[in-house]
């Protein structure tokens, strides 16, 4: 076991890790941040997406030690300072972009990463960007709408109801 | 996954030293290696991360063309290679998904040489040079069949140098589940001829379709390959596509790549 | 004007706040003091005789606390099938014991035969590998293909079942001769052989269970990923482990999707309880996704021959089907109901078909158990009917829209008794068809097709008009049909002293939004704010005995129970008001949250009544009990019958065979709608899964029983870029006539109606493109299959 230090949601943290400790296990078991989920073991589903130094990564496919010293953001760090939902989170609630909630943290983190790179994505750009995040509940309709809305676009007009 | 010692050198020289240890294995972006380790199909004693080596990072023009550090993530190549080699940048921007592209690297991809990976087709079609911790290897000598390369034990890729073609394009047809290339074709037109490299299709890994190269060198148009046939004999046959289907894709995608080339 | 609160309002979901901020609590999120970790040891062969399992080396490894094998559970009971089916010859179905851990034989790849418990997950995993290496399992020939399984008496999944047939069922057997005669007399007969592809449910949260044992009281607690904690408790207590029900608490906390796969009791739940008892420590187990693929109950897997007799004008005269249904290696809890009563009873569709006969042979194979998956039986029935009707239209050169319209039941025919044993209470199938035609802009199709053609794409349009029976289920009916349990549900409405309300429901929400929708109903009925109502679910220690959520039943059954309990609250409130207002009970009216004496201005608010109920200083205790809490059990009189019309448009790339769904229109009749936003979300999700089944999802075992599609690398899940925006509508509502809310259920609809619409569209595209030799392509209509069909 080695002590691994990084910044998580703005706070410097450290916890014990082995070489094989994945970032997702470090967050969930080491730090108790269970908002980040594990939905597969082949780096496909995206339930574990977090931001490392501002970039979306699959935390089940990164060793904690490999990102020591990094700035990590998780779903627990996405709300506004006053505790209210952030823009992407609020859009997901407003547009019913989640049902069981299990893929949701990864969806929100990927969507936020998209909007950071591309503030006004088209429907097609959103769908392609989210191809690494699997949702079994929503058929993606309301997720795409939520991301459109979070980018300030008229989601209702773009998604024929 | 078995436990291991994790080391993260910051220079190529230190990485060479670390990789000389018994049971040591290099780790680049880990997007293929980690799932493999979870399945216990790889179990290194020492894992040497190459992502902290700054001399293996980045994209720049230099001698012989475009130099891409082996530890450069696909997302960076997609962004920084766009003005120099748009077809290569587009290929990098279509690998996996955004989160995979933020971690996965060109060096990791071509060291693994998955028969369905995208990068090997670009390296081979471009006639790139693979620079390793020990030597320089021409693309035609580097790829030696599925998951097999010219790399020796302890040797790792540090850089890839791409000559820049006049026109090029990569067209990929996704395997519906993994989104790897069921078949992908990279076409590169140079002043002295055309190179066509195919990934995803063959039991022998990435390969050059020389008949198409000859035809396209004479006439760089989709119509030039209309009369060619692709033999299905050596093609991969699996759940997602029969050998005949892949042979068809090779031809269809080559035509589309020629049309798309710029 | 849309409402902004109460019934019919699109109230935003309150549960979203915790899910969006990472504060949901799913089973694997719990971390308990002293917890140990369990790893299952699973068979790597499809069929084998367990010769020996030497556990000694694994047991001695670092951190290992206990090792279990099938021998440890030999004396406990088996996990039963919930429905009893009789074969056509009157013989009872064959019911092999389904053990907690395999002993004697392993029967599918992934069949767990041992479990290692250790201090850490990594230690358990290491020891499990050592145990697996030490186990001697003699491999036997795998039984995979259903036809071969039924034909070969020498090779048996269960040694005591000679032909691997669980049952050979006829529905309705007495009608068979008449159906045969009608088919023979029909001017035209269409025949289609098709496969309903085997699917892996793949809820995004893998299954997980935590067992606890409290030695001081002898109590057990199981926290598990379940759609129905009471059913799980009943199965564990009454059938498997013999724990008294009052000594086992089952909690299903936040559950990340189910789609059927989390209805059933699985062996891992019993193992963690036994391990917790042995060790006196909490024992946790969480499936890796690979384990989910190998051991969750799969769905569908029917091979069907359907024949349809008709006139040359397209009037359907008779339907006859023969189906082989795969149940896998063991009978999962609903597995015998899915291919029979959830399938055969729907084979008349929404049509006036005089003669229908269904035969289903259910086959054991060396594959994972197969059970209900979203829609369960009804998608299989709908797919068979809608595909064969499409084929009829092509053979007779008839318009598929007109043929449907000609055969659909008309509104004046309800209630309508079908030839397969159901009574449809109400519907207006023409209305949903017209709505779909309007919203899908069928009139503009030709222009769109021409535009696609310019881009080298073949465009096609497919239709499906479907019906289902849900709101599962009326106990009196399912009892006749073989169910061993009643399928009522329950609710307790507890009015607290300060006027807030807790509703304890037997339904379980794992994505459906009960925490938001149920309060909308309570608020509307009691005239109080939605925010005053809290829903309690998923804990057998807190809720009345309910049957959980599946079969689109939550609102129709548990919601009706809640409605009844609220009526009891109002009745009790009137008694209290009569006492407080010194009036006769019969003179009290309740409206807008107030109890009033009719014809006077004397009134008490709901809050005042609630407070009084708990501060009963002067109650006439002989006639008026303190407190304001009521429970109701509701058992529906009939199934509910949602129905609708779906139109899909696709573009086919003839060079690669790739199919893109470019538009999808769903016009549904769900009866009354409580929260339109949530109903639409349910349809989106169901349609997404249906498109997945039609285009990309497939479960494939090789001839040795190895699962070729054992991860997301090979099992193609629909992604965001595989689907379009959907157009959904539920305005053509005919309220259910027999439940108090007039609701029909919407959870499964999308997955039932959509697959045939997609496949019909693909065949249509090929025909319009001149590729007329293709009459059918089995799902999934993958690029490879479409290309092969075109070039075959």
């Amino acid at each position: 076991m080695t002590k691994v230090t990084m910044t998580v949601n703005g706070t410097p943290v450290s916890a014990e890790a082995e070489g094989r400790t994945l970032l997702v296990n470090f967050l969930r078991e080491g730090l108790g941040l269970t908002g980040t989920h594990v939905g597969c073991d082949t780096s496909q589903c995206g339930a574990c997406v977090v931001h490392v130094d501002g970039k979306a990564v699959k935390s089940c496919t990164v060793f904690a030690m490999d990102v020591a010293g990094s700035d990590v953001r998780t779903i627990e760090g996405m709300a506004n300072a006053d505790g209210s939902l952030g823009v992407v989170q609020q859009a997901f609630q407003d547009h019913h972009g989640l049902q069981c909630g299990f893929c949701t943290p990864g969806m929100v983190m990927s969507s936020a990463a998209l909007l950071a790179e591309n503030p006004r994505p088209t429907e097609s750009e959103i769908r392609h960007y989210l191809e690494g995040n699997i949702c079994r509940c929503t058929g993606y309709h309301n997720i795409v709408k939520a991301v459109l809305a979070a980018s300030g676009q008229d989601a209702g007009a773009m998604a024929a109801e | 996954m078995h436990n291991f010692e994790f080391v993260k050198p910051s220079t190529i020289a230190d990485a060479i030293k670390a990789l000389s240890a018994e049971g040591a294995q290099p780790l680049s972006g880990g997007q293929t290696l980690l799932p493999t380790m979870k399945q216990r199909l790889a179990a290194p004693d020492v894992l040497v991360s190459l992502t902290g080596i700054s001399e293996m990072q980045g994209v720049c023009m230099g001698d012989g063309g475009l130099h891409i550090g082996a530890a450069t993530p696909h997302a960076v190549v997609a962004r920084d290679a766009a003005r120099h080699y748009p077809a290569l940048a587009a290929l990098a921007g279509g690998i996996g998904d955004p989160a995979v592209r933020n971690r996965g690297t060109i060096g990791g991809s071509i060291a693994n040489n998955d028969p369905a990976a995208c990068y090997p087709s670009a390296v081979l079609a471009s006639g790139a040079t693979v620079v390793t911790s020990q030597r320089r290897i021409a693309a035609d000598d580097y790829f030696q069949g599925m998951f097999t390369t010219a790399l020796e034990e302890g040797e790792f890729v540090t850089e890839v140098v791409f000559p820049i073609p006049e026109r090029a394009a990569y067209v990929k047809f996704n395997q519906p589940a993994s989104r790897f290339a069921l078949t992908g074709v990279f076409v590169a037109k140079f002043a002295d001829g055309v190179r066509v490299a195919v990934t995803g299709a063959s039991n022998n890994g990435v390969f050059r379709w020389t008949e198409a190269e000859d035809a396209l060198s004479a006439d760089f148009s989709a119509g030039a390959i209309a009369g060619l046939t692709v033999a299905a004999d050596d093609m991969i046959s699996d759940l997602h596509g029969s050998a005949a289907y892949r042979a068809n894709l090779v031809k269809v995608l080559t035509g589309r790549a020629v049309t798309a080339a710029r | 004007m849309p409402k902004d609160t109460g019934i019919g309002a699109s109230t935003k979901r309150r549960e979203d706040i915790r899910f969006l901020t990472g504060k949901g609590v799913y089973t694997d999120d719990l971390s308990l003091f002293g917890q140990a970790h369990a790893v299952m040891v699973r068979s790597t062969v499809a069929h084998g005789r367990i010769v020996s399992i030497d556990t000694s080396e694994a047991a001695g490894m670092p951190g290992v606390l206990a090792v279990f094998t099938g021998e440890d559970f030999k004396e406990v009971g088996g996990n039963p099938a919930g429905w009893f089916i009789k074969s056509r010859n009157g013989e009872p179905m064959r019911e092999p014991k389904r053990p907690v851990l395999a002993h004697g034989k392993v029967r599918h790849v992934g069949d767990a035969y041992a479990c290692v418990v250790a201090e850490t997950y990594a230690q358990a995993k290491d020891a499990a590998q050592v145990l697996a290496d030490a186990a001697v399992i003699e491999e036997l020939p795998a039984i995979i293909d259903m036809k071969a399984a039924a034909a070969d008496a020498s090779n048996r999944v269960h040694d005591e079942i000679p032909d691997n047939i669980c049952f050979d069922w006829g529905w309705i057997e007495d009608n068979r001769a008449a159906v045969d005669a009608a088919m023979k007399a029909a001017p035209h007969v269409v025949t289609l052989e098709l496969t309903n592809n085997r699917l892996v449910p793949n809820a995004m949260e893998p299954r997980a269970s935590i067992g606890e044992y409290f030695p001081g009281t002898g109590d057990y607690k199981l926290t598990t990923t379940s759609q129905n904690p009471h059913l799980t408790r009943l199965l564990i207590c009454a059938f498997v482990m013999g724990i008294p029900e009052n000594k086992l608490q089952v909690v299903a906390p936040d559950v990340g999707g189910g789609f059927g796969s989390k209805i059933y009791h699985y062996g891992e739940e019993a193992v963690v309880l036994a391990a917790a008892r042995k060790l006196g420590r909490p024992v946790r187990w969480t499936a890796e996704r690979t384990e989910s693929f190998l051991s969750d109950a799969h769905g569908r897997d029917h091979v069907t021959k359907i024949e349809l007799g008709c006139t040359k004008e397209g009037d359907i005269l008779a339907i006859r089907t023969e189906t082989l249904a795969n149940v896998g290696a063991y009978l999962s809890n609903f597995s015998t109901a899915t291919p029979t009563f959830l399938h055969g009873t729907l084979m008349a569709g929404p049509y006036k078909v005089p003669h229908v006969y269904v035969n289903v042979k259910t086959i054991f194979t060396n594959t994972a158990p197969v059970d209900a998956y979203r829609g369960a039986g009804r998608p299989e029935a709908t797919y068979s009917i809608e595909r064969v009707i499409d084929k009829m239209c092509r053979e007779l050169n008839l318009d598929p829209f007109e043929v449907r319209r000609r055969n659909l039941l008309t509104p004046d025919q309800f209630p309508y008794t079908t030839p397969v044993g159901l009574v449809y209470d109400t519907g207006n199938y023409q209305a949903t068809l017209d709505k779909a035609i309007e919203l899908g802009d069928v009139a503009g199709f030709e222009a769109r097709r021409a535009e696609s053609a310019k881009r080298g794409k073949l465009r096609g349009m497919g239709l499906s008009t479907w019906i289902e029976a849900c709101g599962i289920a009326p106990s009196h009916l399912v009892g006749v049909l073989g169910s061993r349990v009643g399928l009522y549900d329950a609710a307790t409405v507890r009015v607290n002293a300060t006027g807030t309300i807790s509703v304890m429901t037997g339904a379980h929400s794992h994505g459906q939004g009960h925490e938001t929708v149920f309060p909308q109903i309570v608020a509307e009925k009691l005239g109080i704010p939605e925010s005053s109502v809290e829903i309690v679910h998923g804990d057998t220690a807190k809720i009345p005995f309910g049957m959980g959520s599946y079969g689109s039943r939550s609102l129709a059954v548990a919601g009706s129970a809640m409605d009844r309990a609220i009526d009891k609250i109002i009745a009790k409130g009137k008694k209290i008001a009569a006492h407080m207002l010194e009036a006769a009970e019969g003179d009290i009216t309740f409206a807008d949250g107030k109890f009033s004496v009719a014809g006077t201005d004397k009134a008490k608010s709901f809050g005042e009544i609630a407070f009084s109920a708990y501060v009963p200083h002067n109650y006439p205790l002989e006639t008026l009990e303190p407190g304001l809490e009521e429970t109701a059990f509701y058992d529906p009189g009939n199934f509910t019958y949602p129905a609708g019309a779906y139109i899909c448009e696709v573009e086919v790339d003839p060079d690669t065979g790739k199919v893109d769904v470019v538009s999808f229109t769903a016009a549904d009749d769900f009866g009354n709608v409580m929260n339109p936003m949530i109903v639409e979300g349910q349809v989106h999700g169901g349609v997404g899964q249906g498109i997945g089944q039609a285009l990309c999802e497939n479960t494939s075992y090789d001839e040795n029983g190895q699962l070729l599609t054992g991860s997301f690398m090979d099992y193609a899940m629909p992604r965001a870029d595989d689907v379009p925006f959907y157009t959904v509508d539920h305005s053509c509502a005919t309220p259910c006539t027999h439940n108090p809310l007039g609701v029909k259920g919407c959870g499964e609809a999308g997955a039932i109606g959509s697959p045939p619409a997609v496949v019909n569209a693909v065949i249509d595209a090929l025909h319009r493109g001149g590729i007329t030799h293709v009459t059918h392509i089995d799902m999934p209509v993958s690029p490879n299959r479409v290309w092969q069909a075109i070039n075959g």
Side-chain angles (χ1 to χ4, degrees):
Chain A
M1 287 283 193
T2 309
K3 184 153 275 199
V4 172
T5 302
M6 61 185 76
T7 300
V8 177
N9 300 327
T11 307
V13 294
S14 51
E16 297 286 323
E18 294 181 313
R20 62 181 161 182
T21 304
L22 300 167
L23 176 59
V24 69
N25 299 127
F26 184 83
L27 294 168
R28 287 177 59 82
E29 291 149 31
L31 304 177
L33 295 172
T34 55
T36 302
H37 297 151
V38 179
C40 77
D41 33 38
T42 52
S43 201
Q44 294 277 319
C45 83
C48 67
V49 168
V50 301
H51 297 175
V52 174
D53 297 326
K55 301 286 181 198
V57 305
K58 291 184 167 172
S59 63
C60 76
T61 314
V62 180
F63 292 116
M65 286 186 184
D66 213 5
V67 292
S70 295
D71 188 2
V72 174
R73 195 135 94 116
T74 71
I75 189 69
E76 287 91 347
M78 294 299 284
N80 297 323
D82 64 359
S84 60
L85 296 180
V87 173
V88 177
Q89 293 168 314
Q90 188 61 57
F92 269 69
Q93 189 196 22
D94 290 347
H95 294 276
H96 190 27
L98 63 152
Q99 291 182 24
C100 82
F102 196 81
C103 78
T104 305
M107 280 291 178
V108 169
M109 299 311 287
S110 284
S111 300
L114 164 63
L115 296 179
E117 289 173 26
N118 180 359
R120 278 181 76 83
T122 63
E123 178 203 339
S124 166
E125 287 169 342
I126 294 167
R127 290 186 183 278
H128 283 295
Y129 199 92
L130 295 178
E131 70 173 306
N133 291 80
I134 302 176
C135 170
R136 195 54 151 167
C137 294
T138 63
Y140 303 101
H141 183 104
N142 285 337
I143 291 174
V144 178
K145 263 178 80 178
V147 180
L148 283 168
S151 68
Q153 304 183 72
D154 186 349
M158 297 175 79
E161 293 298 331
Chain B
M1 156 184 338
H2 291 287
N3 204 11
F4 50 83
E5 185 191 344
F6 181 87
V7 293
K8 191 168 182 177
S10 54
T11 64
I12 292 174
D14 286 349
I16 292 171
K17 213 176 294 168
L19 281 164
S20 67
E22 180 75 25
Q25 191 173 335
L27 166 71
S28 196
Q31 302 302 288
T32 303
L33 183 58
L34 264 73
T36 311
M37 290 172 68
K38 287 181 192 176
Q39 289 179 279
R40 300 190 165 212
L41 298 174
D45 297 318
V46 180
L47 206 51
V48 181
S49 170
L50 304 177
T51 57
I53 300 172
S54 54
E55 57 195 302
M56 282 172 58
Q57 292 275 355
V59 176
C60 67
M61 288 299 293
D63 285 352
L66 187 68
H67 292 236
I68 300 181
T72 311
H74 310 324
V76 173
V77 176
R79 188 188 65 207
D80 293 353
R83 17 188 216 115
H84 307 297
Y85 194 167
L88 180 66
L91 175 147
I95 298 172
D97 58 60
V100 166
R101 293 196 286 275
N102 283 329
R103 291 294 300 176
T105 68
I106 184 170
S109 172
I110 67 168
N112 189 47
N113 193 20
D114 187 304
C118 296
Y119 261 130
S121 69
V123 172
L124 190 59
S126 305
T129 301
V130 178
V131 183
T132 77
S133 49
Q134 296 170 11
R135 56 190 166 138
R136 300 170 68 85
I137 309 171
D140 285 315
D141 301 326
Y142 176 82
F143 298 105
Q144 301 187 347
M146 276 193 184
F147 298 108
T148 311
T149 68
L151 291 176
E152 304 283 348
E153 193 72 27
E155 182 180 17
F156 58 94
V157 180
T158 59
E159 183 179 71
V160 185
V161 183
F162 288 89
I164 303 208
E166 292 172 356
R167 291 160 73 187
Y170 176 65
V171 178
K172 156 167 129 171
F173 193 86
N174 282 346
Q175 193 260 51
S178 69
R179 306 253 168 153
F180 275 67
L182 189 67
T183 294
V185 178
F186 200 107
V187 171
K189 179 181 187 302
F190 291 90
D192 60 352
V194 175
R195 290 170 67 105
V196 177
V198 179
T199 190
S202 170
N203 282 315
N204 302 316
V206 66
F207 72 95
R208 284 174 64 186
W209 184 19
T210 49
E211 292 90 338
E213 292 183 352
D214 293 343
L216 291 167
S217 295
D219 170 17
F220 193 70
S221 75
I225 59 161
L228 301 183
T229 51
V230 182
D233 308 348
D234 284 334
M235 296 292 160
I236 297 169
S237 194
D238 63 16
L239 276 180
H240 304 290
S242 65
Y245 180 63
R246 280 184 165 86
N248 169 69
L249 282 182
V250 171
K251 185 169 165 181
V252 170
L253 302 183
T254 301
R256 289 181 182 181
V258 169
T259 304
R262 49 187 51 90
Chain C
M1 185 64 192
K3 293 175 72 178
D4 58 8
T5 183
I7 289 174
S10 283
T11 302
K12 290 180 200 171
R13 298 202 327 168
R14 59 177 74 182
E15 48 269 71
D16 288 358
I17 306 293
R18 69 176 188 274
F19 296 142
L20 283 163
T21 53
K23 297 191 182 81
V25 181
Y26 300 86
T27 300
D28 189 63
D29 295 341
L30 293 165
S31 181
L32 301 177
F33 181 76
Q35 66 187 4
H37 298 259
V39 167
M40 299 295 151
V41 186
R42 297 185 185 279
S43 178
T44 56
V45 300
H47 192 193
R49 202 166 297 285
I50 298 173
V51 177
S52 64
I53 303 173
D54 182 353
T55 60
S56 56
E57 189 183 349
M61 287 180 64
V64 173
L65 301 166
V67 177
F68 297 87
T69 68
E71 291 295 314
D72 295 301
F73 294 93
K74 223 170 135 182
E75 304 307 320
V76 307
N79 187 1
W83 294 63
F84 174 76
I85 308 292
K86 269 189 187 168
S87 283
R88 294 191 288 138
N89 62 9
E91 283 180 17
M93 68 181 192
R94 280 83 166 259
E95 285 186 85
K97 180 177 173 182
R98 185 182 184 190
V100 172
L101 290 172
H103 59 88
K105 275 170 83 169
V106 286
R107 294 185 175 85
H108 65 92
V109 171
D111 199 3
Y113 61 88
C115 169
V116 176
V117 183
E119 294 285 354
T120 70
Y121 174 75
Q123 288 168 335
K125 187 98 178 156
D126 287 344
Q129 185 63 55
V130 167
L131 192 150
D133 293 343
V136 179
I137 296 175
E138 176 204 344
E139 191 168 355
L140 300 169
I143 300 155
I144 304 302
D145 178 73
M146 284 195 278
K147 273 186 191 147
D152 179 6
S154 63
N155 196 11
R156 301 171 182 185
V157 177
H158 296 276
D159 295 352
E160 68 276 24
I161 299 174
D163 50 10
N164 297 305
I165 295 178
C166 179
F167 55 76
D168 174 358
W169 179 78
W171 190 251
I172 291 172
E173 197 59 26
D174 289 349
N175 297 345
R176 185 178 193 170
V179 175
D180 288 349
M183 194 67 75
K184 207 168 179 187
H188 187 79
V189 175
V190 189
T191 304
L192 181 60
E193 292 188 32
L194 48 82
T195 295
N196 205 289
N197 42 327
R198 183 176 180 124
L199 304 175
V200 178
N202 277 321
M204 292 318 296
E205 180 203 22
R207 284 192 294 119
S209 300
I210 303 174
E212 292 174 79
Y213 179 70
F214 304 93
T217 56
D219 289 342
Y220 293 84
K221 180 177 178 182
L222 175 69
T223 306
T224 191
T225 49
S226 175
Q227 299 176 219
N228 33 236
H230 268 115
L231 206 55
T232 298
R233 190 184 72 172
L234 178 66
L235 290 165
I236 292 174
C237 293
F239 295 93
V240 181
M241 296 183 76
I243 300 170
E245 271 180 286
N246 53 10
K247 287 295 190 188
L248 173 61
Q249 177 190 6
V250 177
V251 179
D254 286 330
V255 172
F259 314 110
S261 68
K262 293 171 182 169
I263 296 173
Y264 326 114
H265 165 54
Y266 291 90
E268 291 89 353
E269 292 169 327
V271 173
V272 295
L273 286 171
R277 175 170 181 142
K278 181 168 182 178
L279 298 173
R281 298 169 59 170
V283 175
R284 64 185 300 140
W285 168 81
T286 300
E288 296 178 349
R289 176 60 60 186
T290 306
E291 288 185 274
S292 307
F293 272 101
L294 294 175
S295 69
D296 288 5
H298 294 177
R300 317 283 193 257
D301 206 352
H302 285 194
V303 175
T304 294
K305 177 183 170 191
I306 181 165
E307 295 162 285
L308 179 147
C310 60
T311 64
K312 300 282 186 194
E313 294 74 39
D315 295 307
I316 306 171
L317 303 173
I319 290 175
R320 185 169 60 196
T321 69
E322 278 174 43
T323 290
L324 293 181
N326 199 339
V327 280
Y330 302 102
L331 295 181
S332 176
N333 303 136
F334 269 52
S335 62
T336 49
T338 304
T340 54
F341 296 113
L342 297 177
H343 168 244
T345 54
L346 270 301
M347 204 54 85
Y351 306 113
K352 37 194 172 199
V353 194
H355 296 286
V356 180
Y357 174 77
V358 176
N359 172 240
V360 178
K361 289 190 187 72
T362 301
I363 315 290
F364 290 105
T365 59
N366 291 120
T367 63
V370 180
D371 206 327
Y373 164 69
R374 198 174 197 165
R378 292 148 289 169
E380 294 92 317
T382 302
Y383 183 70
S384 299
I385 299 166
E386 293 304 301
R387 281 292 301 127
V388 80
I389 290 178
D390 218 61
K391 189 159 185 254
M392 168 180 79
C393 294
R394 242 168 260 296
E395 289 182 4
L396 298 174
N397 199 23
L398 299 171
D399 177 67
F401 290 87
E402 284 319 305
V403 162
R404 259 82 170 195
R405 196 183 300 283
R406 191 180 182 99
N407 286 285
L408 287 172
L409 292 164
T410 49
D412 56 305
Q413 288 180 282
F414 296 98
Y416 175 80
T417 303
T418 75
V420 272
L422 296 178
V423 180
Y424 299 163
D425 63 338
T426 178
N428 188 343
Y429 308 146
Q430 284 76 14
T432 45
L433 178 58
D434 288 340
K435 181 57 88 172
I437 290 170
E438 174 203 330
L439 293 174
D441 186 22
V442 171
F445 174 76
E446 197 45 48
R448 293 191 296 276
R449 194 188 70 77
E451 190 280 325
S452 298
K454 279 188 201 154
R455 290 181 283 108
K457 298 288 178 68
L458 311 178
R459 197 176 185 109
M461 180 165 52
L463 169 67
S464 137
T465 46
W466 62 273
I467 187 168
E468 61 160 320
C470 66
I472 290 174
S475 295
H476 74 96
L477 277 180
V478 297
V480 172
L481 299 178
S483 177
R484 288 165 165 163
V485 291
L487 286 167
Y488 50 85
D489 221 295
T492 296
V493 175
R494 177 181 297 158
V495 181
N496 299 306
T498 53
T500 62
I501 291 178
S502 307
V503 177
M504 280 63 80
T505 172
H508 184 275
S509 187
H510 32 278
Q512 298 89 334
H514 299 170
E515 292 172 38
T516 297
V517 180
F518 284 18
Q520 290 179 249
I521 299 163
V522 180
E524 173 101 8
K525 289 202 67 164
L526 293 179
I528 57 170
E530 291 174 19
S531 59
S532 297
V533 185
E534 200 70 26
I535 300 301
V536 179
H537 66 98
D539 185 342
T540 59
K542 295 179 179 169
I543 62 173
F545 195 105
M547 302 305 289
S549 290
Y550 44 82
S552 307
R553 70 189 305 276
S554 299
L555 202 52
V557 188
S560 295
M562 182 177 74
D563 187 88
R564 290 268 173 94
I566 296 166
D567 287 344
K568 290 187 185 178
I569 290 286
I570 293 170
K572 173 79 180 284
K574 284 182 178 174
K575 279 191 180 174
I576 296 171
H579 165 67
M580 290 175 74
L581 297 168
E582 297 177 334
E585 193 184 325
D587 291 339
I588 303 293
T589 60
F590 179 72
D592 301 328
K594 267 199 307 204
F595 293 90
S596 312
V597 182
T600 75
D601 59 358
K602 292 205 307 186
K604 290 283 180 191
S605 71
F606 183 78
E608 289 174 292
I609 295 295
F611 187 73
S612 159
Y614 292 95
V615 189
H617 295 311
N618 60 350
Y619 272 26
L621 297 172
E622 297 288 310
T623 54
L624 184 60
E625 289 176 17
L628 195 51
E629 172 171 329
E630 298 289 350
T631 294
F633 285 77
Y634 178 81
D635 203 333
N638 192 353
F639 292 100
T640 59
Y641 301 97
Y646 288 3
I647 296 174
C648 177
E649 279 186 35
V650 300
E651 281 185 348
V652 178
D653 177 345
D655 296 331
T656 65
K658 184 165 193 303
V659 175
D660 287 319
V661 173
V662 290
S663 83
F664 198 100
T665 304
D668 292 304
D669 173 3
F670 296 131
N672 292 336
V673 165
M674 302 292 111
N675 182 320
M677 175 191 82
I678 286 177
V679 166
E680 286 161 16
Q682 289 292 311
V683 177
H684 297 154
V687 170
Q689 284 178 331
I691 291 175
Q693 168 165 27
L695 287 190
C696 58
E697 294 183 43
N698 194 30
T699 310
S700 181
Y701 286 92
D702 71 10
E703 69 275 15
N704 299 316
Q706 294 296 328
L707 182 59
L708 299 175
T709 50
S711 80
F712 292 142
M713 295 292 280
D714 285 302
Y715 186 92
M717 294 282 279
R719 314 281 183 115
D721 57 357
D722 288 322
V723 294
F725 279 130
Y726 319 109
T727 302
V728 303
D729 176 89
H730 44 79
S731 65
C732 303
T734 60
C736 172
T737 58
H738 58 80
N739 65 41
L741 297 168
V743 297
K744 294 185 174 179
C746 64
E748 297 165 293
I752 292 170
S754 56
V758 178
V759 177
N760 289 346
V762 173
I763 303 297
D764 184 62
L766 297 181
H767 278 252
R768 288 177 195 267
I771 303 162
T772 52
H773 68 276
V774 181
T775 54
H776 179 68
I777 303 173
D778 269 329
M779 298 188 291
V781 286
S782 63
N784 182 44
R785 286 184 179 178
V786 173
W787 181 82
Q788 274 174 343
I790 293 172
N791 294 284

